[in-house]
Amino acid sequence: MPKGKFSRGKKPVFWWSQDIANLRAICLAARRKYKRCRNNETLGQREIKHLEYKEARKKLKREIKKSKKASWDNLCNQVETDSWGLPYKIVTKKLMGRRAIPGLTLPGRLESIVDTLFPREAITKWPPRFSEQFFPEVNMAEVTEAISKIPLGKAPGPDGIPDMVIKEIAARKPQTLCRIFNLCLKHGSFPKTWKTAKLVLLRKGDKPLEQPSSYRPICLLNTVGKLFERIIKRRLETYLESIGGLSERQYGFRKGRSTIDAITKVSEIGKQAAEGPWRRRRLCAVVALDVANAFNSARWDKIETALCRKGVPEYLLEIIRNYLCNRAVEFGEKGRRTVTCGVPQGSVLGPLLWNVMYDDLLRADFGESTRSSSSELVAFADDVAVVATGLTTPIIEKTMNTILERVANWMDANGLKLSIQKTEAIMQTSKRGYENPIFVIRGVPIQLKEQMRYLGVQLSRALGYKKHLETIAAKASSTSSALSRLMPNVGGSRQRKRQLLATVVNSQLLYAAPVWAGALVYLTNIRIIQRPQRAIALRAASAYRTVSTAAIMVVSGIIPVHLLARERQKIYMKRTEPGQKEIKAIEREETYKIWQEEWEAAETGRWTWRLIKEVKQWSTRKFGQVDYHLTQVLTGHGGFGQYLHRFKKREDPRCVDCQIDVDDAEHTIFHCDRWWRQRRELEVRIGGVFEPDKMIGYMIKNESNWDLVKRYCHQVLSKREEEERERQLLFN
């Protein structure tokens, strides 16, 4: 009987090689021989076979260690050619392909999840279509504009046609697509194949596998259908804008609006309530409502009613009605489910239809603001925050509960359901000695929290953002640690690529910066967000971790994160003004100015300041990259007697070459007699005396000078490192 083969389906590790496979086979064979002889041969024979096995195992381990190092060095070097390729995906755990969800293949589980996520409603009956409606025909300009907005690299729908193919067809024969789309509008028909979606379930974190709410359903639709949706969406948006647009309370799926606007609105209400005389300050409460399975529960008849109420042209109503009916999702190998309500998550038109339906709630009258109380709704897509203020606990309690009751009634009337268990509430006030109000939805009290996460930002009871800064700093630190593995001090990619990877950490730190930048008036908060940026800056410049924060930010050319946050806040405050490009340039100039002032006033990194006095000139240079040895010279932290003595690597700080009392970066590079010949050759080639105050001036004058100075520093320090290793081996 032939030997069976078993494969777990795992990919081989990145360091595996044929040599390792051969050595492993030899090691296993030696191990089997040793085990078989333990009871059958003499002591001497067993000892010989044991030694043979140990030697084979030693060779195998040595080869694995060697292969791991070589493979990892190769990955680090790949960053130079592809910054966001395989190395980045490995360390950030973003390798292509989705992991299978455990237990999803159990009998009935997938069907149960789909049934819950896509609730069944009575089939909506649309009014009969009596005649063809007049409509403006789709032209090639519309198709060209729509196709330019389709992103590349998205997963295809059930037809399997990549978006790149559709873009190529639209570029070569846009008239064909125009003819097809015009026929669809003429007959008020959205093709059935474009309404069938391939369902992909994404698990939300580590939530329970058996709960349907633990999954986010994504509908993959055919690209050509999404192209037609984009044209319909553009026409519907144009009409809505002509009649005044949607409610100002909606910030989701709106051009020129973002989560920052919604968070800012909520925060401003709390700040305004805390202003004024102590006795006149008002309490402020925020309740973040959660709508269960919102997008998949939107009733089609309510969407149509909202469209009719706004007087949408008949031809658009016809095509949207047809777009909504006879929809289906395919799941698993052969599963198929008819959809009778909801807007597809992953569609182009769906979010706009949701906003139109939700507009009725956001335009509702919840009472005028008075001197003693006020109320406001702030929505981002389906997330609604109810913000209420009041002079006293009874007033704010009554105001908030009245609004919550009206919102709950509207949800019930429109077929939506509030998830009360996921609803959160927080007080935001500077008042003290007040009694906590009791907020209730459908008889269920909502627990007040000290911190609440709203659209990615931690809101605090005390109107501060320290908790948020600690949260994003922890996340950025994790990313910084992962990316640092790609940036060894010796070898790896060059500085420009390292700076590019460092932008990942900055992006995480600066999310919603206009909201919390005001909290950076406190030095404690600045230090919190500086830590992860400092860690990645050390790697970007290949520096020792003992270098001060002020110095490493200058050497690496990375603008400190607290200055970037301030810059973004200033730009955000001027977002409605014309000339945004000029505004950004002015604010960047101001950022460099403040950075320069902080650099001059810093108490640490004074050797670096002596070399690099102008941060803008250094950071915006067009050529020249620092490396392991040049960074040692610029920071004074490296293979110098004074530095080694500081960390007890040497008994004294004297120069081993000329026996001067203090061997620091200045002495080694600029004065040590041992290197006078190399230094003199450098001075001849750069055309001047090589001194600390003139070094950077020579380097940024031209690229040739930069390379000459860099080569000289490498020559001196690499030789000293080699001799220091030999000295330590000799004494140890």
Side-chain angles (χ1 to χ4, degrees):
M1 183 176 178
K3 188 175 181 179
K5 293 184 179 181
F6 174 73
S7 174
R8 297 181 181 179
K10 292 184 177 180
K11 295 181 179 179
V13 289
F14 67 92
W15 45 264
W16 190 261
S17 67
Q18 187 59 43
D19 290 340
I20 294 176
N22 295 337
L23 288 174
R24 181 174 181 271
I26 293 172
C27 180
L28 292 176
R31 180 172 177 267
R32 286 193 297 270
K33 289 180 181 179
Y34 165 61
K35 284 193 170 183
R36 289 170 181 170
C37 77
R38 282 187 297 184
N39 298 323
N40 301 328
E41 299 186 19
T42 63
L43 181 63
Q45 291 175 325
R46 290 200 300 272
E47 188 64 26
I48 291 173
K49 293 188 183 300
H50 187 210
L51 292 174
E52 290 176 351
Y53 165 57
K54 288 176 67 177
E55 182 64 24
R57 186 176 60 179
K58 186 177 180 181
K59 288 182 179 180
L60 175 61
K61 288 184 176 180
R62 190 185 302 120
E63 183 63 27
I64 290 175
K65 184 176 180 180
K66 177 182 175 183
S67 179
K68 281 183 176 181
K69 184 179 185 306
S71 298
W72 189 255
D73 289 344
N74 181 47
L75 276 176
C76 293
N77 291 329
Q78 284 183 36
V79 175
E80 188 65 30
T81 56
D82 187 5
S83 301
W84 311 114
L86 180 62
Y88 173 79
K89 292 172 182 175
I90 287 178
V91 298
T92 55
K93 299 178 182 179
K94 290 184 178 180
L95 288 171
M96 298 301 291
R98 294 179 296 106
R99 293 183 180 180
I101 299 175
L104 206 58
T105 57
L106 292 175
R109 172 166 290 184
L110 182 57
E111 289 75 8
S112 174
I113 292 172
V114 172
D115 285 343
T116 305
L117 293 177
F118 295 91
R120 296 181 183 273
E121 291 282 347
I123 297 176
T124 304
K125 296 182 179 180
W126 306 118
R129 188 170 186 265
F130 296 106
S131 61
E132 295 179 0
Q133 301 293 330
F134 167 79
F135 65 93
E137 292 191 348
V138 177
N139 54 49
M140 288 191 288
E142 281 185 280
V143 173
T144 303
E145 180 188 4
I147 202 67
S148 67
K149 295 181 180 179
I150 290 183
L152 294 175
K154 298 294 183 180
D159 62 4
I161 301 176
D163 42 28
M164 189 181 298
V165 174
I166 302 300
K167 294 197 79 165
E168 189 65 25
I169 293 173
R172 296 192 179 191
K173 291 191 175 182
Q175 64 275 10
T176 302
L177 291 175
C178 286
R179 186 164 57 251
I180 294 173
F181 296 157
N182 283 324
L183 283 173
C184 293
L185 290 175
K186 179 180 179 181
H187 297 288
S189 175
F190 198 95
K192 191 173 182 179
T193 55
W194 298 352
K195 295 187 286 187
T196 300
K198 180 181 178 181
L199 180 64
V200 175
L201 295 177
L202 301 180
R203 189 181 176 190
K204 300 177 182 177
D206 296 325
K207 293 187 176 182
L209 293 168
E210 65 278 2
Q211 293 183 8
S213 60
S214 301
Y215 302 91
R216 179 174 290 106
I218 302 297
C219 297
L220 302 181
L221 297 160
N222 295 338
T223 303
V224 66
K226 290 195 288 186
L227 178 61
F228 189 32
E229 285 186 56
R230 198 169 292 276
I231 292 173
I232 299 171
K233 174 177 176 285
R234 179 59 184 150
R235 293 191 173 195
L236 181 56
E237 284 178 335
T238 302
Y239 172 77
L240 293 174
E241 289 170 5
S242 69
I243 62 170
L246 298 173
S247 170
E248 293 296 318
R249 292 171 171 172
Q250 177 61 271
Y251 293 88
F253 308 128
R254 304 278 301 275
K255 185 178 180 180
R257 292 179 167 229
S258 65
T259 55
I260 297 176
D261 299 312
I263 301 166
T264 301
K265 180 65 176 179
V266 172
S267 299
E268 284 180 350
I269 296 174
K271 290 177 182 177
Q272 290 171 3
E275 293 176 350
W278 188 263
R279 292 179 178 273
R280 300 303 301 172
R281 292 181 185 180
R282 291 182 289 176
L283 299 171
C284 178
V286 182
V287 177
L289 301 174
D290 183 271
V291 183
N293 197 23
F295 293 105
N296 291 328
S297 302
R299 287 172 50 178
W300 293 344
D301 59 330
K302 300 299 180 181
I303 294 175
E304 187 218 18
T305 301
L307 291 170
C308 291
R309 191 182 296 115
K310 293 186 178 297
V312 172
E314 190 64 28
Y315 83 95
L316 284 177
L317 274 176
E318 288 288 348
I319 196 67
I320 291 172
R321 287 168 180 158
N322 197 269
Y323 167 81
L324 291 173
C325 69
N326 298 322
R327 302 197 69 89
V329 291
E330 297 176 348
F331 57 91
E333 294 183 0
K334 296 182 180 179
R336 185 180 175 88
R337 173 78 155 76
T338 301
V339 178
T340 57
C341 65
V343 291
Q345 295 188 55
S347 66
V348 175
L349 185 57
L352 179 57
L353 297 180
W354 170 268
N355 278 356
V356 171
M357 184 195 74
Y358 230 41
D359 199 56
D360 184 43
L361 169 65
L362 302 179
R363 289 184 182 274
D365 182 15
F366 293 106
E368 296 182 358
S369 298
T370 64
R371 294 182 62 183
S372 61
S373 67
S374 67
S375 61
E376 184 63 272
L377 293 186
V378 180
F380 188 88
D382 62 313
D383 294 323
V384 178
V386 182
V387 189
T389 66
L391 278 175
T392 62
T393 296
I395 292 175
I396 194 173
E397 189 175 291
K398 180 180 178 181
T399 303
M400 178 64 80
N401 285 332
T402 300
I403 299 174
L404 292 177
E405 182 66 22
R406 292 180 181 177
V407 171
N409 291 338
W410 187 92
M411 294 288 179
D412 291 342
N414 286 271
L416 301 175
K417 182 180 179 182
L418 288 175
S419 179
I420 302 177
Q421 294 77 12
K422 295 182 180 180
T423 296
E424 297 180 315
I426 187 174
M427 295 296 294
Q428 283 201 296
T429 181
S430 58
K431 292 188 92 172
R432 298 177 182 177
Y434 63 90
E435 184 179 351
N436 281 335
I438 300 174
F439 302 138
V440 179
I441 299 179
R442 292 290 186 257
V444 179
I446 304 171
Q447 183 180 359
L448 288 171
K449 297 186 175 182
E450 291 293 321
Q451 308 285 339
M452 184 180 76
R453 183 180 173 87
Y454 176 64
L455 298 179
V457 172
Q458 293 283 347
L459 299 181
S460 173
R461 183 187 188 103
L463 295 172
Y465 292 100
K466 184 176 180 180
K467 181 64 177 178
H468 173 71
L469 296 179
E470 290 173 345
T471 302
I472 61 173
K475 181 179 179 181
S477 293
S478 177
T479 302
S480 178
S481 298
L483 292 177
S484 293
R485 298 175 62 196
L486 295 176
M487 295 182 276
N489 276 356
V490 181
S493 57
R494 291 182 292 178
Q495 185 195 8
R496 297 295 185 197
K497 297 296 182 180
R498 292 169 182 245
Q499 286 177 328
L500 183 62
L501 291 175
T503 60
V504 178
V505 175
N506 281 355
S507 296
Q508 291 180 340
L509 289 172
L510 291 169
Y511 171 72
V515 177
W516 51 260
L520 299 180
V521 295
Y522 302 105
L523 184 59
T524 302
N525 291 339
I526 294 177
R527 287 173 177 167
I528 289 172
I529 60 173
Q530 272 184 342
R531 293 187 193 114
Q533 192 190 34
R534 166 187 161 79
I536 201 68
L538 287 170
R539 289 296 190 168
S542 303
Y544 284 88
R545 63 181 181 178
T546 52
V547 179
S548 68
T549 301
I552 194 56
M553 301 314 297
V554 172
V555 173
S556 65
I558 299 174
I559 300 175
V561 67
H562 67 283
L563 299 182
L564 290 174
R566 171 211 160 274
E567 179 183 304
R568 293 197 178 188
Q569 184 187 46
K570 294 288 186 181
I571 293 173
Y572 177 77
M573 292 170 64
K574 301 176 182 178
R575 65 190 182 281
T576 58
E577 298 179 13
Q580 285 295 303
K581 187 176 181 180
E582 291 76 14
I583 289 174
K584 290 179 180 179
I586 293 171
E587 291 303 328
R588 178 52 56 94
E589 272 304 314
E590 184 66 17
T591 297
Y592 278 122
K593 181 181 177 181
I594 299 174
W595 190 11
Q596 182 67 43
E597 292 172 355
E598 290 186 358
W599 179 227
E600 292 174 356
E603 297 179 356
T604 56
R606 291 302 82 191
W607 166 248
T608 306
W609 178 82
R610 185 177 172 187
L611 298 176
I612 308 173
K613 288 186 169 63
E614 300 292 332
V615 294
K616 181 184 177 183
Q617 184 186 44
W618 173 262
S619 301
T620 59
R621 66 186 187 275
K622 300 298 181 183
F623 57 83
Q625 303 184 56
V626 300
D627 62 3
Y628 178 56
H629 290 123
L630 183 55
T631 295
Q632 290 185 45
V633 175
L634 295 174
T635 61
H637 291 234
F640 311 109
Q642 184 187 48
Y643 182 80
L644 295 173
H645 174 67
R646 175 184 169 189
F647 294 99
K648 297 180 174 54
K649 296 295 183 181
R650 278 194 191 173
E651 294 181 357
D652 57 66
R654 290 185 301 170
C655 176
V656 295
D657 297 316
C658 60
Q659 299 302 311
I660 197 170
D661 291 339
V662 178
D663 174 30
D664 55 12
E666 181 177 2
H667 168 74
T668 300
I669 300 300
F670 298 97
H671 305 302
C672 186
D673 292 338
R674 178 181 178 182
W675 313 104
W676 73 269
R677 188 182 302 277
Q678 293 88 338
R679 193 158 49 246
R680 181 56 185 159
E681 291 176 357
L682 173 64
E683 290 175 341
V684 170
R685 300 188 69 176
I686 64 177
V689 180
F690 190 57
E691 297 176 346
D693 295 336
K694 297 180 180 180
M695 173 179 164
I696 299 302
Y698 289 132
M699 292 175 68
I700 63 177
K701 183 177 181 180
N702 57 61
E703 193 168 0
S704 176
N705 281 0
W706 182 287
D707 292 337
L708 288 170
V709 174
K710 184 177 178 181
R711 193 178 303 120
Y712 166 69
C713 295
H714 173 73
Q715 182 181 7
V716 173
L717 291 178
S718 60
K719 185 64 177 176
R720 294 197 68 171
E721 286 172 359
E722 182 182 343
E723 293 173 352
E724 182 64 25
R725 289 192 202 98
E726 293 176 356
R727 190 191 68 80
Q728 291 186 9
L729 286 174
L730 181 63
F731 285 96
N732 292 336

